[in-house]
Amino acid sequence: MAISLRLLVMASALIGGYVWVRPAPPERPAAHVRFEERAAAAGCRNVHSMCRLHPAFENIMPWLSSVGAAAAAADYDGDGFADLHVTQSGRGQANRLFHNRGDGTFEDVTAAAGVGIGNAAGACMHAIWGDLDNDGDLDLYVIKWGDRNTLFRNEGGGRFTDISKKSGVDFWGYGNAATFFDYDRDGHLDILLGNYFADTIVDEKTGSRVRNDLWNPVSTKIMHETFTHAANGGRNVLYRNRGDGTFEDVTTAVGMTFHGWTLSVGAGDLNNDGWPDLYIANDFGPDEYYLNTGATEQPPRFRLVIDPRGHPGVGNDWWKGMNVDFGDVNNDGYLDIYVTNILSRKYKTDEGNMLWLNCGDAAMTGGRGFKNIAEPAGAMDGGWGWGGKFADFDLDGLMDIFTVNGFVTGHPDRTYWYHIQEMVTQTKNQTVDTRDWPVMGDRDLSGRELSRLFMQLPATADRIQRTDHASDRIERATSKSQRAAGESQRAAGESQRAAGESQRAAGFSPRGATNGNEPRFCDAAEAAGITDTYNGRGIALADYNHDGLLDIYVANQGAPSSYYVNRTTPPVGASFLRIQLIGRPDLPLRLGGRTLASTTNAVGARVTIQTCAGIMMREVQGGTGYSSQSEYPLHFGVPNPAAVERITVQWPSGRTQEVTDDAARKLVGHHLRWVEGAQPEVRK
């Protein structure tokens, strides 16, 4: 498929009379982007312990136990500094909670907080923070394999209580992913849980369906049925928050029934209609893209998007979705998507990470489509990818991408890759029984890889060189048609959408999806000091030391964690803005016959900075990325503070607030706390 696509692109280029000019990326002054690894010195170093399943699976134990290293950043005690929760997956090993002292160091407060768990059964895989009871502090939801998930209520004073059974979210299964979001905008956080293995299986002795316990198995037929279209994975679960401390399973009622092998989930408003949509990254099969129907029906449901070519999701993917993160990478007011996949030059895998650019497309449901620009943008080769996050690391106003990788580190001279290929050929892609898999032993599979720090490059002119005036006319006509179709859909949108379109129409955005000058990146990881070769998994971004720069914490699988403090020298005159939004569930609005409210975490709220040069937009998210959660406050790089004209907040309640002119410019360079209905307050 990928080969035929490339041939089609080449043919189109020859017919159209132009060629894509891909010179070596211009040299970015990478020396100004610097990170310093300080996990041990800062007191937040954790050595991840790996899970081990029943010996019946010993032949592929390295493969099966290659997950579980998760990191989640959040301010659980309300002192303004992001703390850290990291998971352990080995039997008897406790998860760890690191409290940020605010002086550049952390202390382990796990025992006092009571959140260690210890993996007496099963194995911890992920955890996310969110204020589920709207009491003003963050609760903790821990996702596991082979054990019931645990919900800890934050009691204040650094103490937590297990309320899992009472709340009804103690699902038993094989969770790898979760996110908090408010899908019905009632002011209460809901939970989307993504599961990997099926939670039940057929007992070959009795023929009955029983619990699929990988520590006490009844069968070795536990794997994906194919590498490309497996539908025998775990069932994902959507828990609706009733608002009384309990949750109900509404998965089937909202239209989500597929049993894929989910590794990552994310919620964000992808079509700018005010309602959070879903992207589900699945291993061994197509990803899923669901549009929230809240704008047209109540209660909301989720509609699976099928593209005009019959593909589920945003378009062609490579059936190994590992990560999903959202960010407005081209500053046009729409969320784009970054999905990691696998790419290894030495194995000649023709796949790679995907950067889905959100574009107007009248043929798609909701009027928005996505174009994978990862390869021409230089953000495709992330290795054997896992967690990946959008962020502006150098305050230039452009979103960069940090992504980690590495699967199984074994003997460098013995690879497992070709054994897999042989097995797939022999079994005709029927891979469900672990007994058919070759022994992995100490073989390597994409171990010892460097992470990638894709820094977005400033725009340059004439990235497309045209040699035929007719092709110019064709492109202009096509672009005009696309703009007209997009304009008719956007005309009914919110003010932010109109503002973004007017800027594009005025020629502001040099990176729009229709003008042939899309984002470009170059990898600066090694030059910036990110040099470890661990098998990275979860990423937790936060401004841990309040210096205005985003730092990086990485949970490495079966290895020490990495804490990279950002020592970057920003461009001259550049600054930052970090905004913590606090929603008011007690201040609902009645709109269109509905009562809408924000959660205290303000998940789904948007902040837009309008400048004389364009816009920058961020949306509050309740945990995205493989085994990842970054802090709740929104972070902006502001390259020219004097150009700021307006800062606007769009709350999930439907309320809009803004600060303009000098009042807005005075906020730049500060950490803000902005409570819904009130004026922003400077915290530092």
Side-chain angles (χ1 to χ4, degrees):
M1 179 65 73
I3 294 174
S4 61
L5 179 61
R6 277 200 296 270
L7 291 174
L8 178 61
V9 171
M10 291 172 63
S12 300
L14 291 173
I15 294 171
Y18 68 89
V19 294
W20 179 265
V21 177
R22 293 188 59 197
E27 287 295 324
R28 184 185 185 93
H32 82 284
V33 183
R34 296 295 301 170
F35 288 85
E36 179 186 2
E37 204 291 309
R38 291 190 55 81
C44 57
R45 183 177 184 267
N46 177 67
V47 180
H48 174 252
S49 60
M50 299 162 59
C51 73
R52 288 193 63 81
L53 308 177
H54 191 274
F57 310 120
E58 190 64 35
N59 59 318
I60 55 170
M61 192 68 72
W63 181 298
L64 295 176
S65 63
S66 64
V67 290
D75 178 15
Y76 76 87
D77 60 348
D79 65 357
F81 288 90
D83 309 299
L84 272 166
H85 180 275
V86 294
T87 57
Q88 296 278 27
S89 307
R91 182 69 79 235
Q93 299 297 309
N95 298 336
R96 302 181 73 180
L97 176 59
F98 294 108
H99 174 253
N100 189 338
R101 293 189 178 106
D103 62 358
T105 67
F106 296 78
E107 61 179 324
D108 188 336
V109 296
T110 310
V115 295
I117 295 181
N119 294 317
C124 291
M125 290 288 143
H126 188 25
I128 52 175
W129 296 96
D131 186 3
L132 293 174
D133 52 8
N134 283 336
D135 65 350
D137 49 31
L138 296 174
D139 310 301
L140 181 66
Y141 189 46
V142 182
I143 297 94
K144 307 174 191 175
W145 275 14
D147 195 11
R148 293 195 175 276
N149 295 341
T150 302
L151 176 58
F152 289 106
R153 182 177 62 205
N154 191 333
E155 305 291 0
R159 294 291 302 171
F160 293 79
T161 301
D162 183 350
I163 60 167
S164 313
K165 186 174 183 180
K166 177 182 176 181
S167 64
V169 295
D170 57 338
F171 184 85
W172 191 101
Y174 292 89
N176 269 349
T179 191
F180 291 129
F181 73 125
D182 185 7
Y183 84 94
D184 53 2
R185 294 173 65 183
D186 65 352
H188 302 285
L189 281 181
D190 310 303
I191 306 172
L192 176 62
L193 174 64
N195 290 295
Y196 198 66
F197 292 100
D199 57 295
T200 63
I201 196 170
V202 174
D203 186 334
E204 295 177 334
K205 294 180 179 178
T206 65
S208 60
R209 199 153 193 93
V210 299
R211 176 174 284 181
N212 182 21
D213 187 344
L214 300 184
W215 281 265
N216 297 283
V218 298
S219 173
T220 55
K221 295 179 180 179
I222 63 165
M223 300 295 283
H224 43 282
E225 53 197 0
T226 79
F227 269 92
T228 56
H229 290 84
N232 65 330
R235 61 185 180 96
N236 295 337
V237 180
L238 176 56
Y239 287 117
R240 179 182 176 271
N241 190 335
R242 294 190 179 104
D244 61 359
T246 65
F247 293 75
E248 60 178 325
D249 183 345
V250 296
T251 315
T252 302
V254 301
M256 298 172 62
T257 59
F258 181 64
H259 287 211
W261 292 72
T262 298
L263 283 172
S264 184
V265 297
D269 183 6
L270 295 171
N271 60 354
N272 284 11
D273 67 352
W275 295 84
D277 310 302
L278 298 175
Y279 191 99
I280 298 175
N282 293 319
D283 213 354
F284 314 122
D287 292 351
E288 300 163 81
Y289 168 34
Y290 291 94
L291 281 176
N292 190 321
T293 65
T296 57
E297 65 177 343
Q298 190 68 15
R301 302 178 75 254
F302 287 95
R303 181 183 305 155
L304 180 65
V305 175
I306 304 294
D307 77 7
R309 296 164 297 280
H311 301 130
V314 297
N316 270 334
D317 68 46
W318 288 299
W319 311 307
K320 300 173 190 68
M322 318 277 273
N323 171 87
V324 54
D325 195 41
F326 303 119
D328 183 7
V329 76
N330 59 342
N331 287 338
D332 69 346
Y334 284 87
L335 291 175
D336 308 299
I337 310 172
Y338 195 65
V339 179
T340 61
N341 202 274
I342 66 172
L343 190 150
S344 177
R345 299 297 184 189
K346 64 181 177 181
Y347 303 140
K348 300 180 181 178
T349 58
D350 193 18
E351 301 178 6
N353 294 352
M354 293 164 282
L355 175 54
W356 294 106
L357 197 67
N358 194 333
C359 313
D361 187 344
M364 288 289 288
T365 303
R368 302 299 298 180
F370 291 85
K371 177 170 62 173
N372 180 14
I373 65 166
E375 185 172 13
M380 176 180 171
D381 186 357
W384 196 295
W386 295 89
K389 303 292 290 184
F390 287 110
D392 183 356
F393 290 110
D394 58 354
L395 309 186
D396 64 353
L398 303 175
M399 293 290 263
D400 311 305
I401 301 171
F402 176 70
T403 182
V404 297
N405 53 42
F407 190 25
V408 175
T409 297
H411 194 287
D413 296 327
R414 288 196 286 272
T415 179
Y416 191 60
W417 179 259
Y418 301 109
H419 295 268
I420 299 174
Q421 303 305 306
E422 183 179 3
M423 181 263 293
V424 171
T425 300
Q426 291 177 348
T427 63
K428 297 182 179 180
N429 202 19
Q430 302 301 305
T431 55
V432 69
D433 196 336
T434 60
R435 291 176 297 185
D436 293 333
W437 286 60
V439 174
M440 193 166 191
D442 67 346
R443 293 187 176 95
D444 184 89
L445 193 54
S446 287
R448 301 177 184 85
E449 295 193 44
L450 288 168
S451 299
R452 309 294 201 269
L453 178 62
F454 294 122
M455 301 300 296
Q456 190 171 161
L457 301 167
T460 57
D462 300 322
R463 283 197 187 144
I464 294 182
Q465 176 184 359
R466 309 200 178 278
T467 59
D468 188 284
H469 294 296
S471 67
D472 263 346
R473 292 193 297 271
I474 292 170
E475 186 190 43
R476 283 197 299 271
T478 302
S479 297
K480 183 176 180 181
S481 173
Q482 290 172 341
R483 287 196 299 271
E487 183 64 32
S488 65
Q489 192 271 338
R490 284 189 289 269
E494 301 174 1
S495 59
Q496 177 191 31
R497 300 161 61 191
E501 179 57 29
S502 66
Q503 288 151 12
R504 284 192 294 276
F508 145 69
S509 174
R511 304 178 180 281
T514 61
N515 65 11
N517 201 7
E518 293 155 354
R520 292 281 303 278
F521 300 83
C522 82
D523 180 17
E526 192 169 11
I530 301 175
T531 57
D532 74 85
T533 56
Y534 298 128
N535 296 323
R537 296 295 181 263
I539 302 169
L541 304 182
D543 183 2
Y544 291 103
N545 56 5
H546 280 201
D547 64 354
L549 298 168
L550 285 175
D551 310 303
I552 302 171
Y553 188 91
V554 180
N556 296 307
Q557 194 264 343
S561 54
S562 303
Y563 173 43
Y564 288 105
V565 177
N566 195 335
R567 305 296 193 196
T568 294
T569 301
V572 175
S575 189
F576 75 97
L577 183 60
R578 179 173 173 265
I579 307 176
Q580 180 187 9
L581 296 178
I582 308 295
R584 290 286 301 274
D586 59 330
L587 292 179
L589 285 181
R590 188 77 176 165
L591 296 172
R594 305 178 184 181
T595 300
L596 305 179
S598 307
T599 66
T600 56
N601 288 140
V603 172
R606 285 189 170 188
V607 174
T608 302
I609 298 179
Q610 173 85 43
T611 76
C612 61
I615 64 170
M616 295 180 288
M617 182 270 289
R618 306 283 189 270
E619 182 173 294
V620 180
Q621 297 167 352
T624 57
Y626 176 80
S627 289
S628 305
Q629 185 181 28
S630 297
E631 67 173 349
Y632 275 102
L634 300 176
H635 176 272
F636 293 83
V638 185
N640 182 8
V644 172
E645 298 175 341
R646 178 182 290 107
I647 302 172
T648 304
V649 181
Q650 294 170 286
W651 301 92
S653 65
R655 182 175 284 106
T656 298
Q657 293 179 261
E658 64 179 32
V659 177
T660 62
D661 303 325
D662 285 342
R665 288 186 282 274
K666 289 178 181 178
L667 297 177
V668 177
H670 294 286
H671 301 258
L672 305 183
R673 185 176 187 270
W674 196 330
V675 178
E676 183 175 7
Q679 291 299 304
E681 301 175 354
V682 174
R683 296 193 66 161
K684 181 183 178 182

